[in-house]
Amino acid sequence: MVKVAICGGSGYTGAELLRMLRLHPKVEITAVTSEKSAGKRVTDLFPHLVGYEHLVYEQLDRAELVAKADLFFLALPHAASQEAVDFFYRKNKKVIDLSADFRLASPETYEEWYKTPHHYTETLKRAVYGLPELYRKQIRKARLIANPGCYPTSAILALAPALKKGLIDPETLVVDSKSGTSGAGRKADLSIAFCEVNEGFKAYGIAAHRHTPEIEQEISKLAGKEIALNFTPHLVPMDRGILTTAYGRLTARIDAETVLKIYRKAYGDEPFVHVLENGVLPNTKFVRGSNHCMVGVKVNPRTNTLIMVAAIDNLVKGASGQAIQNMNIMLGFEETTGIQHLGMYP
Amino acid sequence: MVKVAICGGSGYTGAELLRMLRLHPKVEITAVTSEKSAGKRVTDLFPHLVGYEHLVYEQLDRAELVAKADLFFLALPHAASQEAVDFFYRKNKKVIDLSADFRLASPETYEEWYKTPHHYTETLKRAVYGLPELYRKQIRKARLIANPGCYPTSAILALAPALKKGLIDPETLVVDSKSGTSGAGRKADLSIAFCEVNEGFKAYGIAAHRHTPEIEQEISKLAGKEIALNFTPHLVPMDRGILTTAYGRLTARIDAETVLKIYRKAYGDEPFVHVLENGVLPNTKFVRGSNHCMVGVKVNPRTNTLIMVAAIDNLVKGASGQAIQNMNIMLGFEETTGIQHLGMYP
Amino acid sequence: MVKVAICGGSGYTGAELLRMLRLHPKVEITAVTSEKSAGKRVTDLFPHLVGYEHLVYEQLDRAELVAKADLFFLALPHAASQEAVDFFYRKNKKVIDLSADFRLASPETYEEWYKTPHHYTETLKRAVYGLPELYRKQIRKARLIANPGCYPTSAILALAPALKKGLIDPETLVVDSKSGTSGAGRKADLSIAFCEVNEGFKAYGIAAHRHTPEIEQEISKLAGKEIALNFTPHLVPMDRGILTTAYGRLTARIDAETVLKIYRKAYGDEPFVHVLENGVLPNTKFVRGSNHCMVGVKVNPRTNTLIMVAAIDNLVKGASGQAIQNMNIMLGFEETTGIQHLGMYP
Amino acid sequence: MVKVAICGGSGYTGAELLRMLRLHPKVEITAVTSEKSAGKRVTDLFPHLVGYEHLVYEQLDRAELVAKADLFFLALPHAASQEAVDFFYRKNKKVIDLSADFRLASPETYEEWYKTPHHYTETLKRAVYGLPELYRKQIRKARLIANPGCYPTSAILALAPALKKGLIDPETLVVDSKSGTSGAGRKADLSIAFCEVNEGFKAYGIAAHRHTPEIEQEISKLAGKEIALNFTPHLVPMDRGILTTAYGRLTARIDAETVLKIYRKAYGDEPFVHVLENGVLPNTKFVRGSNHCMVGVKVNPRTNTLIMVAAIDNLVKGASGQAIQNMNIMLGFEETTGIQHLGMYP
């Protein structure tokens, strides 16, 4: 049994780690931290986590924690995560960071978008971007994983095969994403109060959302040149799920079936990415609670545009599920261990 | 008191006409039809329509109806509307058609997208596209109004000032729209069952939705050339509201404030279109139940793209409210009569 | 035009007063207060309140406010309302208090349930409980209205005719109520965050909710003796609406149609209370956004129990709409002025 | 590997059986039937059921099916289930019937409430009511399980310990239940269309719901005499979950802590029933997607009433999860196999 600690376990991603690791046969949770809820039991905050009655939140005392676990999940706010990641990494622990702090290879880009400097640029160089579909080999050998953001996971999985094959002009990309409200985190905030969100739909952070440079970093690698794209997130009145609708001008005439073949080849052996049949489009409801990602495409011959659609659960494939997937790869476990469960429908 | 009849009064748009006309001081509803519910009282179907206890649905018997009213609202399915519109129009009645049958000036385009021929091309020539912000003068003199579709209303209001001024390249348009479920109508259909829609989000009809040629028709006029665009509708788990996020490559460097000035000038005197301040974006929740439309814009200087966002209530400004607005203009009433009420929040 | 001020205008009930008074032809809003939002425009907080762009929140400076209006709506938190009510009342203003501070005739009961003493017991004696269906005559002559709570409005309207006629044993009452989330107010609070409320259903405050003594006070008057009842509120994942299901053991064998006749007689001329036909039951969706209340009953002959069900919109008939109804009665206006609009469906 | 067939696999309970059995290590699904969807793949109807791409719906041909499996789950409509149950039972198969056909021991009561006679009264005598918390011993030896209804499961688990100990007077019971919409099944029906259900709350089937005699049957056994109770179901605008609030007059003065001790003793070893601490109340959101049931109680000393609250997921502990629990008991597996997963929150 590998000993695992969760730093920042009182938010939704922390709770999701606990929910899923409960059924993981090779992992034991030895500590969970929360500054605000230290001293409380996990089940005081989350009565649904039946079986965790004896696990009590503690302060994030790094010196004390380091001896308790071999692998650390960090679900801390960005900026706050930097120091803790660096600390555990230097103590030769395996670290999976769910914050944004180690996702951007360029410390300058990080500072530009997150308005705070990066203090651990040496450790940053060791970080592997934890998208298994692109970086499985590197993850296998890594000790520090920067777990991807929720929007980037959906956008990159939607775009990757088309960009890699040069099907679309990367200068024309529009990424229009829609997320459930859990993406905003678990907090007392008027803007996510039930009556403010329910029965409403809005865009936010247009051309300014911090996931933009993360998507651009990966897209640029795939396209082989520096790409800036249009990214617009929207808030959906539902708990979970991200649907990303991406548009790119086709570089040549092609039909949907041919595009789908390329996608199927790209994702053929992937346990969690599923290319839908021609005419079928993803729905976030198909992946709710699961680590699966569904991708569909459509060609608009009238505008010569490829429309790519991907659906994930933002808290699972977009956060905690992918983190466990990365853990499985790092530790040499079967990649699907503990995250094989299917989506909940309805 | 002008006598008004509603043909097709058992759907959501019919019910909305009844809800709003209840407070209209210059109109009297003399008949309402429904094939399936003939003989039932309006309040049997819609208990919320307090005060309509004595109004009973009747069959759509045109010969009998024609004497009962001076103005006819037709909320019938497309194709079924053609003949009724033609009939009442030829009987010298005023007609406001909420179906799609008289929106497309080209009968060929109509047949191509609706898979049924147009049998009344002479009457079609008399129809005025009932978007008051573009065609108020023509509406004033019209006897037949083709009431715009819900998606087109939001898309055209979002795009019009930018296209008219040549701010954006019309060859690069992406129109990504999101609609509440009432847009699908009131019917027994598994695909709109609560548990199929709730807590889910999906795209549908990509590059194939019938509102595409309607948007293109109006956009092409504004752009001064034939335009094909990318239009993707999505289904939001909420009752009402459409948010349209539209993207167009800027033809020159410009900032948001300058764009907003152009928008404010374009919509300055409009009673129902409101241009939000720089940095503020529309939310469908701000217009729920009302005839208002809110528009916001954002410039992405990194991609030189203009992002335009518009929010309406699909059943009001996107259907029945706009129909009443058109009626007010046609009949010489104050344009806001009966539709001055504000959105319901929360 | 009567000059009206709203103290506490940044919550949902304040916003609802503004929404509905916009269409009231005999009232002018001269001031609106908010401690937190002083200096901001009403439309900065509530973009849906189109037309209020020039109304700016101010501090609640009583000395300054008193000259600005003839009638004051107070939508302040309980306890905070006491002093303001007393002040404006003594200045010979008309006051409609939406807080709980003047609803309970007994200061002792008030202190017992609200854990704070009542400092204005003389003014308390002048307050009339503003349920028009029971106290229309007294409201007409009143200068101080204690506007009823949302749960009590639904419970009392459901129970009153049966209790008055002695149909049910008041010692056996169970009042099981379910409310939309707007009843919790507009605030930053984790317990009403979207993801905490959505897709969940719970009871709260069982046998301890502060509306209990308010219901008991009115029920006891109707029953002619001191009654304690079981009251359980529940939280429904929706914005608006209260449904109350009340149970009472029948004192004699009776059928539903006979009970309904008694109810219809009791509410026959009421503009806002509607007794449904035998077999039809209320739905909060039928009254959403409106001042209407719908009541239905059912007899269970197997247990000899009467089940009474009432639906209201908690923010309208349960708060701001009823406050305007009370204003209309006090000022001698037609009782339905400004609140005639129908529910929004869907 | 035990071979299992599912008759009626195109509804929500069928899909839930498939979802959960996917992770059951000792069971193999050899057939799944659907009259309407015969010939389609499971994943055509339910794309979330990843891994079932090769399972195809077939007609319910009993003669052919009988050889394919050792245990049959029947998720057919009531009445339609009778004959199939009898057939497989007589063929010496193990049968778990999720319909209502074998729940009521009295064929007369069945006919009275379901308006159809029971044709297999001999087989009916062999059926065991599959509530493990009451009948585990009998289930172990049974070959035919009548899987309990969703409302009865929640009501009986809420009431059982109090009734068994005589804490409450069984003549005074009120059972007020609230269910998510999936309880209505998966079908094209206007009454469960999204826009008809969302943002609304209603009671239905008061004093007439078919789960009434089922609850009464079990309550009567616990109380030791024939009991009729008041049962009111309500429809909640959410997908899943039942909350039952039950009221009973206390037979003696007692406090909540003492009642809770009795409940804890009653459910002490139960893997799926959890008695909450004093002051904590269940929320359907705590059990969503899981087989857990949470129970809380409150004493109202002012009315001397015990209020009991239970929450379950209607599709899991209220249907398919309980069916698998019963299967595990019948087959001698660890009772929690395949249904150990926790609730999904949010």
Side-chain angles (χ1 to χ4, degrees):
Chain A
M1 297 291 275
V2 176
K3 289 179 183 170
V4 162
I6 298 170
C7 298
S10 62
Y12 293 134
T13 50
E16 281 290 271
L17 286 169
L18 290 163
R19 173 175 77 100
M20 291 183 281
L21 290 174
R22 183 88 189 134
L23 298 188
H24 198 294
K26 302 193 167 179
V27 153
E28 179 192 2
I29 294 173
T30 53
V32 60
T33 80
S34 166
E35 305 312 290
K36 282 188 192 164
S37 298
K40 290 187 185 168
R41 295 177 306 173
V42 162
T43 48
D44 292 339
L45 270 74
F46 297 113
H48 72 292
L49 293 178
V50 175
Y52 282 110
E53 288 77 10
H54 304 298
L55 189 62
V56 174
Y57 287 110
E58 52 188 278
Q59 297 284 347
L60 202 170
D61 181 330
R62 297 177 314 191
E64 205 174 301
L65 278 171
V66 75
K68 289 191 178 176
D70 307 309
L71 183 146
F72 289 80
F73 288 106
L74 273 71
L76 301 169
H78 71 84
S81 200
Q82 281 187 32
E83 200 178 357
V85 166
D86 181 74
F87 176 84
F88 293 119
Y89 183 77
R90 287 176 182 278
K91 294 290 185 186
N92 279 312
K93 301 296 177 179
K94 289 192 166 65
V95 180
I96 298 174
D97 182 28
L98 284 84
S99 89
D101 281 356
F102 291 82
R103 292 178 194 156
L104 299 177
S106 155
E108 294 74 28
T109 306
Y110 176 84
E111 185 164 355
E112 183 190 339
W113 288 83
Y114 287 89
K115 311 296 177 202
T116 187
H118 205 299
H119 297 297
Y120 304 92
T121 52
E122 279 310 305
T123 302
L124 178 58
K125 288 177 190 160
R126 309 288 162 234
V128 170
Y129 190 71
L131 195 64
E133 291 77 11
L134 295 186
Y135 301 108
R136 187 170 281 112
K137 273 186 196 168
Q138 295 89 321
I139 295 166
R140 209 166 275 147
K141 292 177 271 177
R143 259 207 311 113
L144 168 54
I145 298 294
N147 208 59
C150 50
Y151 286 123
T153 296
S154 68
I156 299 163
L157 291 175
L159 289 163
L163 281 172
K164 228 171 182 169
K165 283 280 176 190
L167 302 183
I168 49 176
D169 174 359
E171 312 276 2
T172 65
L173 297 180
V174 168
V175 175
D176 192 285
S177 291
K178 302 86 178 177
S179 172
T181 308
S182 60
R186 186 169 183 266
K187 59 188 175 190
D189 189 308
L190 181 59
S191 73
I192 54 167
F194 184 83
C195 290
E196 301 291 312
V197 170
N198 188 44
E199 290 296 293
F201 188 90
K202 67 172 182 181
Y204 67 97
I206 300 181
H209 193 280
R210 284 162 168 175
H211 284 173
T212 309
E214 186 180 337
I215 303 172
E216 288 177 349
Q217 166 181 291
E218 297 304 315
I219 290 313
S220 297
K221 282 192 222 169
L222 291 161
K225 58 176 167 175
E226 281 303 300
I227 298 300
L229 53 71
N230 291 298
F231 171 57
T232 305
H234 299 76
L235 188 67
V236 187
M238 62 181 185
D239 285 344
R240 289 167 179 248
I242 286 180
L243 192 94
T244 287
T245 315
Y247 303 79
R249 199 61 57 120
L250 284 163
T251 50
R253 289 276 161 195
I254 193 169
D255 64 10
E257 196 43 70
T258 310
V259 177
L260 285 168
K261 269 180 203 154
I262 291 165
Y263 270 69
R264 270 183 224 120
K265 202 174 164 195
Y267 292 131
D269 296 326
E270 287 301 333
F272 292 117
V273 182
H274 309 281
V275 180
L276 301 176
E277 284 174 45
N278 200 354
V280 182
L281 292 170
N283 184 330
T284 63
K285 210 169 168 89
F286 297 156
V287 296
R288 207 163 42 127
S290 85
N291 201 49
H292 294 291
C293 171
M294 293 193 183
V295 180
V297 309
K298 185 101 185 181
V299 166
N300 185 344
R302 300 172 70 249
T303 60
N304 203 30
T305 301
L306 180 64
I307 300 101
M308 300 142 279
V309 186
I312 61 167
D313 182 318
N314 57 303
L315 294 178
V316 187
K317 183 63 178 169
S320 307
Q322 186 145 270
I324 294 171
Q325 188 180 357
N326 281 318
M327 178 192 78
N328 288 337
I329 298 171
M330 288 169 91
L331 298 178
F333 299 156
E334 173 64 40
E335 193 169 328
T336 60
T337 313
I339 43 177
Q340 291 155 291
H341 57 280
L342 301 179
M344 197 176 87
Y345 188 96
Chain B
M1 297 291 274
V2 176
K3 287 178 185 171
V4 162
I6 298 170
C7 299
S10 62
Y12 292 135
T13 51
E16 280 291 272
L17 286 169
L18 290 163
R19 174 175 76 100
M20 291 183 282
L21 290 175
R22 182 89 189 132
L23 298 187
H24 198 295
K26 303 193 166 178
V27 153
E28 179 193 2
I29 295 174
T30 53
V32 59
T33 80
S34 167
E35 305 313 288
K36 282 190 193 164
S37 298
K40 290 190 184 167
R41 294 176 307 172
V42 163
T43 48
D44 292 339
L45 269 75
F46 298 114
H48 73 292
L49 294 177
V50 174
Y52 281 110
E53 288 77 9
H54 303 298
L55 189 62
V56 174
Y57 288 109
E58 53 188 277
Q59 297 283 348
L60 202 169
D61 180 331
R62 295 178 315 191
E64 203 173 306
L65 277 172
V66 74
K68 290 192 177 175
D70 308 309
L71 184 146
F72 289 79
F73 288 107
L74 274 70
L76 301 169
H78 72 84
S81 200
Q82 281 187 31
E83 199 178 357
V85 165
D86 181 73
F87 176 84
F88 293 119
Y89 182 76
R90 286 175 184 280
K91 295 289 185 188
N92 279 312
K93 300 296 178 179
K94 289 192 166 63
V95 180
I96 299 175
D97 182 29
L98 283 84
S99 89
D101 282 355
F102 291 81
R103 292 178 193 156
L104 299 177
S106 154
E108 293 76 27
T109 306
Y110 176 83
E111 184 163 355
E112 182 189 339
W113 288 83
Y114 288 89
K115 311 296 175 203
T116 189
H118 206 298
H119 298 295
Y120 304 93
T121 52
E122 279 311 304
T123 302
L124 178 58
K125 288 178 190 159
R126 308 289 161 235
V128 170
Y129 189 71
L131 195 64
E133 292 77 10
L134 295 186
Y135 301 108
R136 187 170 281 110
K137 274 188 196 168
Q138 295 88 321
I139 295 166
R140 208 166 276 146
K141 293 177 271 177
R143 255 203 319 110
L144 169 53
I145 298 294
N147 208 58
C150 50
Y151 285 123
T153 295
S154 68
I156 299 164
L157 291 175
L159 289 163
L163 281 173
K164 227 172 185 168
K165 282 282 176 188
L167 303 183
I168 48 176
D169 174 359
E171 312 276 4
T172 65
L173 297 181
V174 169
V175 174
D176 192 285
S177 291
K178 300 87 178 176
S179 172
T181 308
S182 60
R186 185 167 184 267
K187 59 188 175 189
D189 189 308
L190 180 59
S191 73
I192 54 166
F194 184 83
C195 290
E196 301 292 311
V197 170
N198 188 44
E199 290 297 292
F201 188 90
K202 67 171 181 181
Y204 67 98
I206 300 182
H209 194 280
R210 286 162 167 174
H211 284 174
T212 307
E214 185 180 337
I215 304 172
E216 288 177 350
Q217 167 180 289
E218 297 303 316
I219 290 314
S220 296
K221 283 193 221 168
L222 290 161
K225 58 175 167 178
E226 281 302 302
I227 298 300
L229 53 71
N230 291 298
F231 171 58
T232 305
H234 299 77
L235 188 68
V236 187
M238 61 181 186
D239 286 344
R240 289 167 179 250
I242 285 180
L243 192 94
T244 288
T245 314
Y247 304 79
R249 198 60 57 117
L250 284 163
T251 51
R253 287 277 162 195
I254 193 169
D255 63 10
E257 195 45 70
T258 309
V259 176
L260 285 168
K261 269 180 202 154
I262 290 164
Y263 270 70
R264 271 184 222 116
K265 203 175 163 192
Y267 292 130
D269 296 327
E270 286 300 335
F272 292 116
V273 183
H274 310 281
V275 181
L276 300 176
E277 284 175 45
N278 199 353
V280 182
L281 291 170
N283 185 330
T284 62
K285 209 168 169 90
F286 298 156
V287 296
R288 207 163 42 125
S290 85
N291 200 49
H292 294 291
C293 171
M294 294 195 181
V295 180
V297 309
K298 186 99 184 183
V299 166
N300 185 344
R302 301 172 70 249
T303 59
N304 202 31
T305 301
L306 180 64
I307 300 102
M308 300 142 280
V309 186
I312 61 167
D313 182 319
N314 56 303
L315 293 178
V316 187
K317 183 64 178 168
S320 306
Q322 186 146 271
I324 295 172
Q325 187 180 357
N326 281 319
M327 177 192 77
N328 287 336
I329 298 171
M330 288 168 91
L331 298 179
F333 299 156
E334 174 64 42
E335 191 168 328
T336 60
T337 312
I339 44 178
Q340 291 155 292
H341 57 280
L342 301 179
M344 197 176 88
Y345 188 96
Chain C
M1 298 289 276
V2 176
K3 289 178 183 172
V4 161
I6 298 170
C7 298
S10 62
Y12 293 135
T13 51
E16 280 292 272
L17 285 169
L18 290 163
R19 173 174 77 100
M20 290 183 282
L21 290 175
R22 182 89 190 135
L23 298 188
H24 197 294
K26 302 194 168 178
V27 152
E28 178 192 3
I29 295 173
T30 54
V32 60
T33 80
S34 167
E35 305 312 289
K36 281 188 193 164
S37 298
K40 291 189 184 167
R41 294 177 307 174
V42 162
T43 49
D44 291 340
L45 270 74
F46 298 113
H48 72 293
L49 293 177
V50 175
Y52 281 111
E53 288 76 9
H54 303 298
L55 189 62
V56 174
Y57 287 110
E58 52 187 278
Q59 298 284 347
L60 202 170
D61 180 331
R62 297 179 313 192
E64 203 173 305
L65 277 172
V66 74
K68 290 192 178 174
D70 306 310
L71 184 146
F72 289 80
F73 288 106
L74 274 71
L76 301 169
H78 71 84
S81 200
Q82 282 188 31
E83 200 178 355
V85 165
D86 181 73
F87 177 83
F88 292 120
Y89 182 76
R90 286 177 183 277
K91 295 291 185 186
N92 279 314
K93 301 296 177 179
K94 289 192 166 63
V95 180
I96 298 175
D97 182 29
L98 283 84
S99 89
D101 282 355
F102 291 82
R103 292 177 194 157
L104 299 177
S106 155
E108 293 75 27
T109 307
Y110 176 84
E111 185 164 355
E112 184 190 338
W113 288 82
Y114 287 88
K115 310 296 177 204
T116 188
H118 206 298
H119 297 297
Y120 304 92
T121 53
E122 279 310 304
T123 302
L124 178 57
K125 287 178 190 159
R126 308 290 161 233
V128 170
Y129 189 72
L131 195 64
E133 292 76 11
L134 295 186
Y135 300 108
R136 186 170 281 111
K137 274 187 197 168
Q138 295 89 321
I139 295 166
R140 209 166 274 147
K141 291 178 272 178
R143 260 210 308 115
L144 170 52
I145 298 293
N147 208 59
C150 49
Y151 286 123
T153 295
S154 68
I156 298 163
L157 291 174
L159 289 162
L163 281 172
K164 229 172 182 169
K165 283 281 176 189
L167 303 183
I168 49 176
D169 174 359
E171 312 276 3
T172 65
L173 297 179
V174 168
V175 174
D176 192 285
S177 291
K178 300 88 176 174
S179 173
T181 308
S182 60
R186 186 169 183 267
K187 59 188 176 190
D189 189 308
L190 181 58
S191 73
I192 54 167
F194 183 84
C195 290
E196 301 292 312
V197 170
N198 188 45
E199 289 297 291
F201 188 89
K202 67 171 182 181
Y204 67 98
I206 300 181
H209 194 281
R210 285 161 167 175
H211 284 173
T212 308
E214 185 180 337
I215 304 171
E216 289 178 348
Q217 167 180 290
E218 298 303 316
I219 290 313
S220 297
K221 283 193 221 169
L222 290 161
K225 58 176 168 176
E226 282 301 301
I227 298 300
L229 54 71
N230 291 298
F231 171 58
T232 304
H234 299 76
L235 188 68
V236 187
M238 62 181 183
D239 285 344
R240 292 166 178 248
I242 285 181
L243 192 94
T244 287
T245 314
Y247 303 80
R249 198 60 57 119
L250 285 162
T251 50
R253 289 277 161 193
I254 193 170
D255 64 10
E257 196 44 71
T258 310
V259 177
L260 284 168
K261 269 180 203 154
I262 291 165
Y263 271 69
R264 270 183 223 120
K265 202 174 165 194
Y267 293 130
D269 297 327
E270 286 301 334
F272 293 117
V273 182
H274 310 281
V275 180
L276 300 177
E277 284 174 45
N278 200 354
V280 182
L281 291 170
N283 185 330
T284 62
K285 208 169 169 89
F286 298 156
V287 296
R288 207 163 42 125
S290 85
N291 201 49
H292 293 290
C293 171
M294 295 194 180
V295 181
V297 308
K298 185 100 185 181
V299 167
N300 185 344
R302 300 172 71 248
T303 60
N304 203 30
T305 300
L306 180 64
I307 299 102
M308 298 142 280
V309 186
I312 61 168
D313 182 318
N314 56 303
L315 293 178
V316 187
K317 184 63 178 169
S320 306
Q322 186 146 270
I324 294 172
Q325 188 180 358
N326 282 319
M327 179 192 78
N328 287 337
I329 299 171
M330 289 168 91
L331 297 178
F333 300 155
E334 173 64 42
E335 192 169 328
T336 59
T337 314
I339 44 176
Q340 291 155 292
H341 57 280
L342 301 178
M344 196 175 88
Y345 189 97
Chain D
M1 297 291 276
V2 176
K3 288 179 184 170
V4 162
I6 299 170
C7 299
S10 63
Y12 292 135
T13 51
E16 280 291 271
L17 286 170
L18 290 164
R19 174 176 76 99
M20 291 183 281
L21 290 175
R22 182 89 188 132
L23 298 188
H24 198 294
K26 302 191 167 179
V27 154
E28 179 193 1
I29 296 174
T30 53
V32 59
T33 79
S34 167
E35 305 313 289
K36 282 189 192 164
S37 299
K40 291 189 184 167
R41 295 177 306 172
V42 162
T43 48
D44 291 339
L45 271 74
F46 298 114
H48 73 291
L49 293 178
V50 175
Y52 281 110
E53 288 76 10
H54 303 298
L55 189 62
V56 174
Y57 288 109
E58 52 188 279
Q59 299 282 349
L60 203 169
D61 180 331
R62 296 177 315 191
E64 203 174 305
L65 277 171
V66 73
K68 289 191 177 176
D70 308 308
L71 184 146
F72 289 79
F73 288 106
L74 274 70
L76 301 169
H78 71 84
S81 200
Q82 281 188 32
E83 198 178 356
V85 165
D86 181 73
F87 176 84
F88 293 120
Y89 182 76
R90 285 174 185 277
K91 296 288 185 187
N92 279 313
K93 301 296 177 179
K94 290 192 165 64
V95 180
I96 299 175
D97 182 28
L98 284 84
S99 88
D101 282 355
F102 291 82
R103 293 178 194 157
L104 300 177
S106 153
E108 293 76 27
T109 306
Y110 176 84
E111 185 164 355
E112 183 189 339
W113 287 83
Y114 288 88
K115 311 294 177 205
T116 187
H118 205 298
H119 298 295
Y120 304 92
T121 53
E122 279 311 304
T123 302
L124 178 57
K125 287 177 190 160
R126 307 289 161 235
V128 170
Y129 189 71
L131 195 64
E133 292 77 11
L134 295 186
Y135 301 109
R136 186 170 282 112
K137 274 187 196 168
Q138 296 89 320
I139 295 165
R140 208 166 277 147
K141 292 177 270 177
R143 258 207 313 112
L144 168 53
I145 298 295
N147 209 58
C150 50
Y151 286 123
T153 295
S154 69
I156 298 163
L157 291 176
L159 289 162
L163 281 172
K164 227 171 185 169
K165 282 281 175 187
L167 303 183
I168 49 176
D169 174 0
E171 312 275 4
T172 66
L173 297 180
V174 168
V175 174
D176 192 284
S177 292
K178 300 88 178 175
S179 174
T181 308
S182 59
R186 185 168 183 267
K187 59 188 175 189
D189 189 308
L190 181 59
S191 73
I192 54 167
F194 184 83
C195 289
E196 302 291 311
V197 170
N198 188 43
E199 290 296 293
F201 188 90
K202 67 171 182 181
Y204 67 97
I206 300 182
H209 193 282
R210 285 162 168 174
H211 284 173
T212 308
E214 185 180 336
I215 304 172
E216 288 177 349
Q217 167 180 290
E218 297 304 316
I219 290 313
S220 297
K221 283 193 222 169
L222 290 161
K225 58 175 168 178
E226 282 301 302
I227 298 301
L229 53 71
N230 291 298
F231 171 57
T232 305
H234 299 76
L235 187 67
V236 187
M238 61 181 185
D239 285 344
R240 290 167 178 249
I242 285 181
L243 192 94
T244 288
T245 315
Y247 303 79
R249 199 60 55 121
L250 285 161
T251 50
R253 288 278 162 194
I254 193 170
D255 63 10
E257 196 44 71
T258 310
V259 177
L260 285 168
K261 268 180 203 155
I262 291 165
Y263 271 69
R264 270 183 224 119
K265 204 174 162 191
Y267 293 130
D269 296 328
E270 286 300 335
F272 292 117
V273 183
H274 310 281
V275 180
L276 299 177
E277 284 175 45
N278 199 354
V280 182
L281 292 169
N283 184 331
T284 62
K285 209 169 168 89
F286 298 155
V287 296
R288 206 162 44 124
S290 85
N291 201 48
H292 294 291
C293 170
M294 293 194 182
V295 181
V297 308
K298 186 100 184 182
V299 167
N300 186 344
R302 301 172 69 249
T303 60
N304 203 31
T305 301
L306 181 64
I307 299 101
M308 299 142 281
V309 186
I312 61 166
D313 182 318
N314 56 303
L315 293 179
V316 187
K317 183 64 178 168
S320 306
Q322 187 146 271
I324 295 172
Q325 188 180 357
N326 282 320
M327 177 192 78
N328 287 336
I329 298 171
M330 289 168 91
L331 297 178
F333 300 156
E334 174 64 41
E335 191 169 330
T336 60
T337 312
I339 43 177
Q340 291 157 291
H341 58 279
L342 301 179
M344 196 176 87
Y345 188 96

